[in-house]
């Protein structure tokens, strides 16, 4: 088993999502001691896509410039980590009712037509099939699955679009109101996760 462990919280060691992703990975490793783990901290910076990225990655010139080669290599590295993974464990702290900008940038980097998805006569087809994703959803005041939660539904859809349909959430929400209750709900969900 290959595990891709992704964090994106800006709060460092105080981050509940970072604590939860570490616990999820530890649970998976305990059940699968030979599992390998690749760690990616998106808080270190994920370039946003722009016109230069489009010209380098999407248009794929025959002779890319040195700068274009760098953009291609960065996007390829993010995508290869996902392609190589059996399980993705992703920290999902909610900022302003949605996912972090770094996590959105990462999704933009890996959503590559012809590589992670393709268009067919029957509609789009995800090419990252056979993978499992577990999100550690944490929020101070945005209830998981509520009308205010603009992250979980989007991520379930987006990963499904890429072919990852086995998507689970371990949610610690309402932390600003009753931290202990929110953490207890998350740990209960964690205990129910199949390792």
């Amino acid at each position: 088993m290959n595990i891709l462990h992704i964090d994106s919280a800006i709060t460092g060691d105080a981050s509940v999502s970072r604590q939860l992703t570490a616990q999820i990975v530890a649970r998976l490793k305990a059940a699968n001691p030979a599992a390998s783990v690749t760690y990616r901290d998106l808080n270190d910076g994920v370039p946003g896509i722009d016109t230069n990225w489009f010209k380098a990655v999407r248009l794929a010139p025959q002779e890319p410039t040195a700068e274009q080669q760098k953009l291609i290599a960065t996007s390829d590295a993010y995508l290869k980590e996902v392609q190589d993974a059996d399980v993705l464990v992703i920290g999902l702290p909610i900022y302003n009712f949605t996912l972090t900008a770094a996590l959105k940038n990462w999704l933009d980097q890996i959503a590559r037509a012809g590589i992670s998805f393709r268009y067919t006569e029957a509609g789009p087809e995800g090419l990252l099939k056979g993978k499992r994703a577990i999100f550690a959803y944490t929020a101070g005041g945005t209830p998981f699955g509520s009308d205010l939660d603009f992250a979980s539904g989007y991520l379930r859809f987006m990963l499904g679009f890429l072919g990852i349909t086995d998507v689970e959430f371990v949610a610690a929400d309402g932390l600003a109101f009753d931290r202990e209750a929110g953490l207890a709900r998350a740990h209960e969900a964690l205990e129910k996760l199949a390792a």
Side-chain angles (χ1 to χ4, degrees):
M1 173 188 288
N2 296 321
I3 301 167
L4 176 57
H5 177 183
I6 295 175
D7 281 323
S8 65
I10 63 173
T11 50
D13 292 340
S15 164
V16 174
S17 69
R18 287 177 184 271
Q19 294 167 22
L20 286 175
T21 59
Q23 291 169 11
I24 293 167
V25 169
R27 181 177 175 85
L28 294 171
K29 281 281 290 176
N32 306 277
S36 66
V37 179
T38 299
Y39 181 72
R40 172 74 72 171
D41 189 347
L42 302 183
N43 195 46
D44 290 340
V46 180
I49 62 172
D50 58 13
T51 302
N52 292 330
W53 183 92
F54 176 78
K55 288 179 179 177
V57 178
R58 286 282 172 90
L59 297 184
Q62 291 291 328
E63 296 181 18
T65 66
E67 184 59 35
Q68 288 175 329
Q69 288 174 4
K70 183 177 176 185
L71 294 171
I72 294 165
T74 298
S75 186
D76 285 351
Y78 292 128
L79 187 52
K80 183 165 183 356
E81 289 175 349
V82 178
Q83 290 170 324
D84 290 347
D86 300 301
V87 181
L88 289 74
V89 178
I90 303 173
L92 176 56
I94 301 302
Y95 301 150
N96 301 316
F97 309 101
T98 194
L99 63 159
T100 66
L103 187 52
K104 175 61 167 68
N105 286 349
W106 176 81
L107 284 168
D108 288 341
Q109 289 282 353
I110 68 167
R112 305 257 304 269
I115 302 174
S116 56
F117 71 93
R118 67 182 174 187
Y119 293 109
T120 71
E121 290 180 3
E125 177 189 5
L127 301 176
L128 300 176
K129 297 174 183 171
K131 302 177 188 303
R132 176 186 185 196
I134 306 167
F135 285 97
Y137 177 103
T138 58
T142 304
F144 174 73
S146 72
D147 288 344
L148 303 177
D149 168 14
F150 295 100
S152 63
Y154 166 73
L155 287 165
R156 187 181 298 277
F157 172 83
M158 190 66 200
L159 265 62
F161 178 80
L162 299 177
I164 304 171
T165 56
D166 183 357
V167 179
E168 303 165 86
F169 291 86
V170 172
D173 55 2
L175 296 174
F177 306 107
D178 190 341
R179 185 178 180 85
E180 294 308 314
L183 292 174
R185 284 191 299 274
H187 287 114
E188 183 180 343
L190 180 60
E191 288 303 315
K192 293 178 182 175
L193 271 182

